[in-house]
Amino acid sequence: LVFAIWHSWAVLPVAGFLSGYVTNWIALKLIFEPVQPTLCCFGSFELQGLFLRHQPEVSEAFGSAVAHEIMSSEQLLRQLFLSPTSDKAIQIVHYHIGGAIDRYSLALGPFLPLALGGEQYEEMKRKVVELYVSELPTQIKAMAPYFTAALQLERTLVDGLKALPPSDFEAVLHPVFKEDEWLLILVGGLLGCAVGVFQVLVVFRS
């Protein structure tokens, strides 16, 4: 209508940009807002954010993505044993492996510590533990399936997300998208502008 009144090549690209920008802004708003179910048009229908209305399905998808891509068992194990802050975990490994050696030695009676001598026995324990720790990086892939089965991380995440009230669910999920929202809105505007330029160059010039 504006183009019909004011014949300027700039009208359609500008209108396209504004249309795409506003459309994407509204679409993103409707994904997360309103947080609580809200009756509209004198109660004729209920309005709630798309992700919040489909919380069970979104929880399944989000929990699966986090468990497999961000917090997989292999990634957790690498962070636990191979990061600069892994000292505490290594100390726990030393403690439990040393304790296991002591228990198996007691099953043989007092003969092993007596045969080796106290100092040699402790040295043997230390070397076994060091060998075990040195092999950890190569064994992480083999340990990951057990770790996954023991933690049940995906199911724990999914069940926890499903149980959240809508306000808490929105607070967990929205920050994941918030950082790039401006980019999604801008892309909508640019696509609308491109359509406007196409109309000026192709449709109305022909």
Side-chain angles (χ1 to χ4, degrees), residues 162-178:
K162 285 181 178 179
L164 289 175
S167 58
D168 291 345
F169 185 70
E170 189 271 344
V172 169
L173 208 61
H174 200 171
V176 176
F177 299 88
K178 205 172 188 68

Side-chain angles (χ1 to χ4, degrees), residues 64-155:
S64 177
V66 170
H68 290 96
E69 304 297 332
I70 301 172
M71 295 175 61
S72 69
S73 296
E74 188 172 339
Q75 289 168 320
L76 289 175
L77 286 167
R78 289 188 183 281
Q79 184 65 29
L80 189 62
F81 293 117
L82 304 180
S83 70
T85 58
S86 62
D87 293 348
K88 290 288 185 182
I90 298 300
Q91 287 178 10
I92 294 171
V93 171
H94 273 265
Y95 174 79
H96 284 285
I97 297 296
I101 292 171
D102 287 336
R103 287 193 298 274
Y104 282 111
S105 298
L106 286 174
L108 299 173
F111 305 110
L112 185 59
L114 288 175
L116 293 176
E119 289 185 9
Q120 284 186 307
Y121 176 73
E122 292 299 324
E123 179 68 13
M124 181 270 295
K125 279 173 54 179
R126 185 184 63 80
K127 287 183 177 179
V128 169
V129 172
E130 286 180 354
L131 178 62
Y132 181 86
V133 170
S134 70
E135 290 294 318
L136 274 176
T138 63
Q139 298 302 314
I140 283 178
K141 279 189 178 294
M143 294 162 60
Y146 170 78
F147 205 69
T148 299
L151 286 182
Q152 291 290 304
L153 185 60
E154 181 178 348
R155 184 43 46 195

Side-chain angles (χ1 to χ4, degrees), residues 13 28 38 43 51 57-58 64 85 148 161 171 181 185 200:
L28 284 170
T38 304
F51 275 8
E57 298 93 327
V58 175
S64 177
T85 58
T148 299
L161 288 168
E181 276 186 358
I185 295 171
V200 170

Side-chain angles (χ1 to χ4, degrees), residues 7 22 27 41 167:
H7 290 281
V22 171
C41 298
S167 58

